[in-house]
């Protein structure tokens, strides 16, 4: 689906004069560089304005990020025009900071890589318009990036990981399991049928008013749940993991969210408090929701590993599971996945937390991967559009469901 929001384009395109001024502000003298492939990555698909310069060996030469989390926490969620405005206000500064830190002059870049799918239309539009102006002025190639592909490939920047490997991407907007066979060669094994786990955790955190909690007021919903869960007892609530009878690798989180909503309402009545005040059982609820989420994610991932092993899709001597996306920074969920990888003799790898959430480095690195593979490098950007919705790879989730693999029960003592 190709969608171009005309309004977004009209407002977010920087003028030619502004881009020229911006480029003139760099006074670096091109030095002798050891590696000639240098990519500037730009990310604006959701609520982070981020940029980075990475070389072909994976050295991060410069990076900058502006997070909108605090603003969106106050409004109780992302309001797309607000996100768009904040991207517009910050993109030039962030790109400038990343380039200045890298000491790379724009003329030395091999290409500019920018997220163009999937994401919020208004947010994607800002990054794309800015990047198109930049590459047209610089006469450099443009590399359009799929946000989820970038999350999946980040591990190859930090670790020596060969294709194929299995990837679990869990964030605020996405939830999928895929087999990565190459830079742009993915088999989709399963995805969320409704909302993503980060979205569910954000909603639960908001319903629990954790923003008013002195220890959590600046944290994202998922992080606040993880923090509070440490003080709670998960056994005080018994939430059933979703989709227990569906023998596939799909996920679901909205049913769980509604069950928790009902429990919170009931507890508010019992404690005689108003909506908006913090329940005395908030930490126990956080611990139970985190546990149920971890078990659900672990079970689906376990089935995906067994499916890949059954079909001989993973490396036999060293099967690798990579977990990334904002929710992958959750250490409890990681421990649940560790139980699964230990039981299936797989290696579990996660990028460092900073690279699990949205950032410019992963976009620049995806640009390097594509440059090296000679894939999707555009010298003519005519007709390039952003795509708010875009699946990842070839969907074989039906085949996975038909295999109906029974997953042995594991002791989830986390
Ligand atoms: O990857 P990301 O930065 O943005 C996208 O959604 O693409 O992920 C943000 C999500 C939010 O929903 C946030 O609540 C969640 O990741 N998150 C966490 C943790 N840190 C961030 N969820 C669980 N535990 C965490 N520690
Ligand atoms: Zn993301």
């Amino acid at each position: 689906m190709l969608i171009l929001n005309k309004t977004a384009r009209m407002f977010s395109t920087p003028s030619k004069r502004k881009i020229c001024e911006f480029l003139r502000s760099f006074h670096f003298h091109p030095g002798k560089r050891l590696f000639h492939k240098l990519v500037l990555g730009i990310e604006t698909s959701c609520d982070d304005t981020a940029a980075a310069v990475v070389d072909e060996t994976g050295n991060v030469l410069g990076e900058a990020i502006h997070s909108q989390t605090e603003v969106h926490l106050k409004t109780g969620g992302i309001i797309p025009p607000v996100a768009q405005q904040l991207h517009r206000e910050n993109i030039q500064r962030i790109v400038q900071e990343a380039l200045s830190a890298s000491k790379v002059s724009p003329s030395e870049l091999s290409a500019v890589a920018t997220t163009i799918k999937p994401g919020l239309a208004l947010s994607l539009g800002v990054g794309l318009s800015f990047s198109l102006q930049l590459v047209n002025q610089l006469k450099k190639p443009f590399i359009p990036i799929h946000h989820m592909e970038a999350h999946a490939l980040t591990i190859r920047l930090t670790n020596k990981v060969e294709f194929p490997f299995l990837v679990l991407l869990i964030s605020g907007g996405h939830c999928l399991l895929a087999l990565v066979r190459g830079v742009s060669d993915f088999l989709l094994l399963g995805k969320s049928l409704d909302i993503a786990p980060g979205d569910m955790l954000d909603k639960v955190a908001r319903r629990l008013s954790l923003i008013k909690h002195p220890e959590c007021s600046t944290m994202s919903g998922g992080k606040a749940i993880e923090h509070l869960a440490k003080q709670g007892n998960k056994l005080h609530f018994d939430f059933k993991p979703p989709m227990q009878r569906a023998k596939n690798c799909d996920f679901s989180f909205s049913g769980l969210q509604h069950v928790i909503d009902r429990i919170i309402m009931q507890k508010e009545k019992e404690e005689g408090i108003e909506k908006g005040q913090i329940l005395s059982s908030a930490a126990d609820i956080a611990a139970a929701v985190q546990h149920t989420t971890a078990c659900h994610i672990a079970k689906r991932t376990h089935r995906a590993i067994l499916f890949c092993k059954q079909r001989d899709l993973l490396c036999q001597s060293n099967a690798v599971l990579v977990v990334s996306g904002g929710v992958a920074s959750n250490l409890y969920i990681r421990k649940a996945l560790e139980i699964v990888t230990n039981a299936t003799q797989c290696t579990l790898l996660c990028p460092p937390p900073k690279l699990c959430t949205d950032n410019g480095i992963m976009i620049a690195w995806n640009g390097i991967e594509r440059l090296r593979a000679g894939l999707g490098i555009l010298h003519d950007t005519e007709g390039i559009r952003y795509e708010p919705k875009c699946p990842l790879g070839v969907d074989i989730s039906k085949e996975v469901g038909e295999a109906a693999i029974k997953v042995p029960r594991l002791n989830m003592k986390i």
Side-chain angles (χ1 to χ4, degrees):
M1 184 172 41
L2 296 180
I3 298 177
L4 176 67
N5 182 317
K6 278 198 186 130
T7 328
R9 197 152 194 221
M10 199 167 72
F11 282 114
S12 54
T13 306
S15 71
K16 201 170 168 186
R17 185 179 52 81
K18 267 186 110 180
I19 286 285
C20 286
E21 272 171 27
F22 168 69
L23 291 173
R24 269 200 301 274
S25 69
F26 293 92
H27 304 293
F28 309 125
H29 301 290
K32 236 185 165 190
R33 298 211 178 265
L34 228 46
F35 303 106
H36 54 271
K37 283 195 181 78
L38 294 167
V39 171
L40 166 67
I42 299 178
E43 157 66 33
T44 65
S45 68
C46 190
D47 60 346
D48 290 301
T49 316
V53 180
V54 174
D55 76 14
E56 61 183 303
T57 62
N59 274 330
V60 179
L61 303 180
E63 58 168 311
I65 187 159
H66 174 264
S67 166
Q68 305 176 358
T69 308
E70 247 178 83
V71 176
H72 299 311
L73 269 176
K74 284 195 190 111
T75 52
I78 299 175
I79 300 170
V82 174
Q84 179 193 36
Q85 183 56 30
L86 292 168
H87 282 306
R88 273 197 221 128
E89 286 169 12
N90 291 289
I91 189 157
Q92 183 160 323
R93 176 179 63 83
I94 289 299
V95 172
Q96 192 147 19
E97 276 179 27
L99 278 166
S100 301
S102 73
K103 304 247 183 309
V104 166
S105 116
S107 64
E108 289 179 284
L109 293 171
S110 314
V112 175
T114 302
T115 309
I116 68 151
K117 59 192 176 186
L120 296 173
L122 296 182
S123 296
L124 288 167
V126 179
L128 178 59
S129 302
F130 184 88
S131 305
L132 292 184
Q133 289 274 358
L134 203 58
V135 292
N136 289 337
Q137 284 291 314
L138 290 169
K139 307 258 177 304
K140 297 283 179 189
F142 180 60
I143 308 176
I145 300 293
H146 190 299
H147 182 83
M148 303 313 285
E149 179 181 306
H151 270 308
L153 297 179
T154 305
I155 198 71
R156 283 166 50 86
L157 175 138
T158 54
N159 299 58
K160 216 175 144 12
V161 178
E162 301 294 336
F163 299 119
F165 59 89
L166 187 63
V167 73
L168 166 71
L169 297 177
I170 38 178
S171 72
H174 300 280
C175 177
L176 61 85
L177 270 162
L179 183 73
V180 190
R181 299 192 298 186
V183 172
S184 122
D185 182 3
F186 289 71
L187 290 183
L188 185 69
L189 306 176
K191 61 179 185 315
S192 175
L193 303 177
D194 38 62
I195 59 174
D199 191 10
M200 184 270 292
L201 295 173
D202 288 343
K203 285 181 169 131
V204 171
R206 217 175 301 143
R207 186 62 188 79
L208 285 170
S209 302
L210 298 189
I211 190 157
K212 292 189 189 153
H213 195 290
E215 291 164 28
C216 309
S217 61
T218 59
M219 293 178 186
S220 68
K223 201 165 181 196
I225 296 279
E226 181 176 25
H227 178 80
L228 215 58
K230 291 188 192 121
Q231 306 162 21
N233 185 344
K234 64 183 178 224
L235 301 176
H236 283 184
F237 293 94
D238 184 22
F239 303 131
K240 294 269 169 295
M243 300 180 76
Q244 298 216 70
R245 273 192 223 139
K247 290 198 181 68
N248 55 33
C249 291
D250 288 331
F251 303 79
S252 168
F253 295 95
S254 64
L256 179 61
Q257 186 217 319
H258 290 122
V259 168
I260 296 162
D261 264 5
R262 274 205 306 277
I263 294 276
I264 294 174
M265 213 156 29
Q266 188 191 323
K267 284 279 148 199
E268 281 169 348
K269 259 195 205 150
E270 278 174 31
E271 292 188 21
I273 66 165
E274 299 275 314
K275 186 174 176 179
Q277 289 176 283
I278 296 178
L279 282 171
S280 67
S281 49
D284 294 338
I285 294 175
V289 66
Q290 180 175 252
H291 181 71
T292 310
T293 303
C295 290
H296 180 46
I297 291 172
K299 181 97 178 240
R300 313 323 273 184
T301 307
H302 194 169
R303 181 170 288 116
I305 293 173
L306 296 180
F307 176 84
C308 289
K309 290 212 164 190
Q310 191 189 73
R311 305 281 159 113
D312 207 11
L313 295 170
L314 283 169
C315 174
Q316 277 186 352
S317 57
N318 183 24
V320 172
L321 168 70
V322 172
V323 186
S324 195
V327 179
S329 25
N330 185 296
L331 296 181
Y332 191 92
I333 294 174
R334 279 196 200 189
K335 276 191 200 144
L337 290 165
E338 228 168 70
I339 294 175
V340 171
T341 49
N342 286 341
T344 50
Q345 290 87 47
C346 284
T347 305
L348 173 67
L349 295 175
C350 303
K354 194 182 116 180
L355 294 179
C356 276
T357 50
D358 291 353
N359 63 83
I361 297 169
M362 69 179 192
I363 307 303
W365 174 247
N366 200 160
I368 292 280
E369 289 262 36
R370 281 184 164 267
L371 266 185
R372 288 200 304 211
L375 286 167
I377 305 147
L378 306 184
H379 295 275
D380 176 4
T381 55
E382 187 62 38
I384 184 95
R385 302 283 185 265
Y386 56 79
E387 298 173 58
K389 283 197 166 39
C390 183
L392 181 73
V394 177
D395 188 348
I396 62 157
S397 55
K398 208 165 157 255
E399 200 181 317
V400 175
E402 280 162 6
I405 294 173
K406 203 168 175 319
V407 175
R409 190 177 279 276
L410 294 178
N411 183 2
M412 282 303 185
K413 246 190 163 166
I414 306 171

